Amino acid sequence: MEENRSKLGTAAFMTSLYTKATAAADCIRSLTPLAPRLGIILGSGLGNFAAQVEDPTAIPYAEIPHFPQSTVEGHSGKLILGHIAGVPVAVMQGRVHAYEGYPLSEVTFPTRVLGLLGCKSLIVTNAAGGINTTYRQGSLIAIADHINLTGSNAAAGPNEARFGPRFFDMTTAYSPRLRSMAQAEAAKQNIPLTEGIYLAVLGPSYETPAEIRAFRTLGADLVGMSTVHEVIVARHMGIEVLGLSLVTNMAAGVLDEAINHEEVMETGRRVERRFTSLLTALIPRIASR
Ligand code: HPA
């Protein structure tokens, strides 16, 4: 796409991004009559939640025009449409990341498509490293706000007004309404759920201990390599966002041990029951307005 951008010129690039997202949405509509109200993006180790979708239509990303495909283990790459607790949903099982070499227009392409399909709300989940020392491996955190240290913004470039305005507010990017619903549901189910600030880096290397100390000073509680771009694009389109992080490991230097991807996936499996039960109960609450 980056190459196309220079060939077409930037304004034509945005038009073609809209055209491509429309083509992807049309393809999905041709495969199922289901009109999703809520989108869910499943992060590393959390992909099994997709089994909650009733009467699913599962579409491999490879079969959707222009959808990027993940190269990372644990991000299987299917869009699953169906119902959860009576709510029409579209679940992304797997996402692509900028560290894989994808431009942000591709990283956020599926979010654009969810918006065009009619999703009014988006639940974004991720695996994250815990910077806040009160967190533990396996803690679930509702994202209260983010710090984008990736050096880039998915909404940069010529603005496509059919997606949203040139400048847009990020004061309440992580919806206070959805956050308070998440707190209420977690309390009801006796699931500890604190709030935290998510700081995004490009990756793919995990951070150094010095970086983690610096991020703590900046006010970060969590660190990860995803989410912020999808949230920026969702807010551009006026979609309400709930962000949930799973602390799969304590960030570099917090404990006296190395970080590895297997640990990240394993923690996902360990908290699966809690995560599934919280999310399943939240979905009808979020959709009922
Ligand atoms: N750092 C960055 N991203 C991550 C981490 C981490 O420690 N754990 C899971 N995703």
Side-chain angles (χ1 to χ4, degrees):
M1 243 179 224
E2 226 59 309
E3 195 183 298
N4 290 345
R5 186 190 291 235
S6 56
K7 269 198 209 129
L8 292 171
T10 42
F13 164 79
M14 286 315 289
T15 307
S16 79
L17 181 61
Y18 188 85
T19 307
K20 285 174 178 171
T22 304
D26 287 347
C27 164
I28 294 160
R29 283 196 203 98
S30 77
L31 296 171
T32 171
L34 187 125
R37 303 221 1 229
L38 174 71
I40 303 168
I41 303 178
L42 298 175
S44 302
L46 299 170
N48 289 342
F49 178 77
Q52 300 306 309
V53 180
E54 291 153 26
D55 214 1
T57 302
I59 313 170
Y61 292 164
E63 291 174 17
I64 307 173
H66 316 297
F67 244 60
Q69 282 167 67
S70 178
T71 60
V72 186
E73 204 193 321
H75 289 265
S76 86
K78 268 188 227 135
L79 183 70
I80 299 152
L81 294 102
H83 288 89
I84 295 180
V87 178
V89 296
V91 179
M92 278 177 61
Q93 191 180 40
R95 55 149 72 93
V96 304
H97 302 80
Y99 64 69
E100 294 173 73
Y102 290 100
L104 294 185
S105 55
E106 294 197 31
V107 170
T108 57
F109 185 82
T111 308
R112 295 289 191 198
V113 175
L114 291 178
L116 291 185
L117 286 173
C119 291
K120 301 286 173 242
S121 318
L122 179 68
I123 302 177
V124 194
T125 70
N126 60 54
I131 296 177
N132 185 320
T133 55
T134 68
Y135 294 175
R136 294 289 171 267
Q137 200 178 36
S139 296
L140 280 177
I141 312 293
I143 303 177
D145 204 346
H146 78 216
I147 300 172
N148 177 7
L149 276 198
T150 67
S152 197
N153 190 303
N159 188 53
E160 169 54 75
R162 285 171 290 185
F163 283 132
R166 169 76 293 182
F167 300 105
F168 52 100
D169 185 52
M170 291 289 286
T171 311
T172 52
Y174 297 84
S175 161
R177 187 182 86 93
L178 301 192
R179 278 159 53 201
S180 73
M181 282 180 181
Q183 288 302 336
E185 189 54 45
K188 192 169 150 204
Q189 296 192 26
N190 244 327
I191 296 173
L193 183 72
T194 42
E195 292 212 326
I197 307 296
Y198 177 92
L199 184 145
V201 292
L202 174 61
S205 60
Y206 292 116
E207 301 67 38
T208 63
E211 286 167 341
I212 294 303
R213 286 192 298 275
F215 296 166
R216 187 178 293 121
T217 307
L218 289 177
D221 298 301
L222 299 151
V223 61
M225 305 173 192
S226 66
T227 302
V228 297
H229 307 303
E230 291 142 348
V231 171
I232 287 170
V233 159
R235 294 308 300 143
H236 185 228
M237 293 186 291
I239 297 170
E240 196 177 30
V241 173
L242 176 69
L244 292 176
S245 286
L246 164 64
V247 177
T248 51
N249 57 279
M250 292 311 289
V254 174
L255 305 175
D256 191 17
E257 54 191 51
I259 299 164
N260 64 74
H261 184 62
E262 287 65 43
E263 177 186 33
V264 169
M265 302 304 294
E266 167 56 29
T267 310
R269 284 188 283 275
R270 207 153 52 73
V271 301
E272 201 169 303
R273 284 250 296 285
R274 251 187 308 150
F275 176 78
T276 297
S277 134
L278 178 62
L279 217 52
T280 307
L282 260 176
I283 287 167
R285 281 193 189 230
I286 291 175
S288 70
R289 67 152 172 169

